[in-house]
Amino acid sequence: MTTSQWDLPYRPCVGVMLVNGEGKVFVGRRIDNKEGDAWQMPQGGMDDGEDVIAAGLRELAEETGVTGSNAALIARSKEELLYDLPEELVGRLWGGKYRGQRQFWLLMRYIGTDSEIDLEAHDPPEFCEWKWIDPELLPEVIVPFKKRVYRAVLEEFRALI
């Protein structure tokens, strides 16, 4: 990275670890992922002045069709987690305005049915498929530059899952 790229700010973001009654975690495979078999939990940018929980519920509804009536908040991460984009992605994502993301994470329990999950709730959709996985597998399915964040989220929420 050049010095100017290191000077870019982090994009404010929220992520949601959505767990079902069996303790499995929702992951979706991004439509725009050219790297192949990488999955992620719902996440997205926060609007200026937007509350973390409101942003998390909005992102969850947009990416999965799951609304606040089908998801119960269990916990919020104590601190923001940061990650830097790989050098080749800086300048290509988010209009080149950010070096990575700073994320608060929410742990939510899904109380709906699988048939209620709707990846096309938002146009355009972000995920092309989804599945429930064992929480311990999260660091294995995410793109490499987000592994540290996923390990930290898992560590913080593990006892509550």
Side-chain angles (χ1 to χ4, degrees), residues 67-122:
T67 65
S69 63
N70 287 340
L73 180 65
I74 299 170
R76 173 182 161 167
S77 61
K78 293 176 180 67
E79 298 177 355
E80 284 183 305
L81 299 169
L82 306 177
Y83 74 81
D84 290 314
L85 290 170
E87 187 174 352
E88 65 272 11
L89 293 180
V90 174
R92 289 183 33 208
L93 296 180
W94 311 308
K97 297 188 295 188
Y98 303 103
R99 67 184 280 181
Q101 293 195 85
R102 55 184 179 91
Q103 303 176 315
F104 275 107
W105 281 86
L106 304 175
L107 174 61
M108 303 188 89
R109 175 86 54 208
Y110 184 54
I111 52 179
T113 63
D114 287 2
S115 64
E116 295 173 82
I117 293 175
D118 178 9
L119 299 184
E120 296 182 8
H122 186 262

Side-chain angles (χ1 to χ4, degrees), residues 25-81:
V25 178
F26 176 98
V27 291
R29 190 162 65 88
R30 289 186 60 91
I31 287 177
D32 62 358
N33 186 329
K34 306 297 187 239
E35 294 182 29
D37 199 34
W39 300 73
Q40 72 176 45
M41 294 183 282
Q43 66 170 59
M46 292 177 53
D47 298 330
D48 286 340
E50 190 174 24
D51 173 76
V52 171
I53 294 170
L57 288 169
R58 178 182 51 74
E59 285 294 330
L60 187 63
E62 288 175 4
E63 295 182 10
T64 69
V66 173
T67 65
S69 63
N70 287 340
L73 180 65
I74 299 170
R76 173 182 161 167
S77 61
K78 293 176 180 67
E79 298 177 355
E80 284 183 305
L81 299 169

Side-chain angles (χ1 to χ4, degrees), residues 4 8-9 18-19 48 54 70 77 140 160:
S4 63
L8 291 172
L18 185 68
V19 296
D48 286 340
N70 287 340
S77 61
E140 296 175 28
L160 301 172

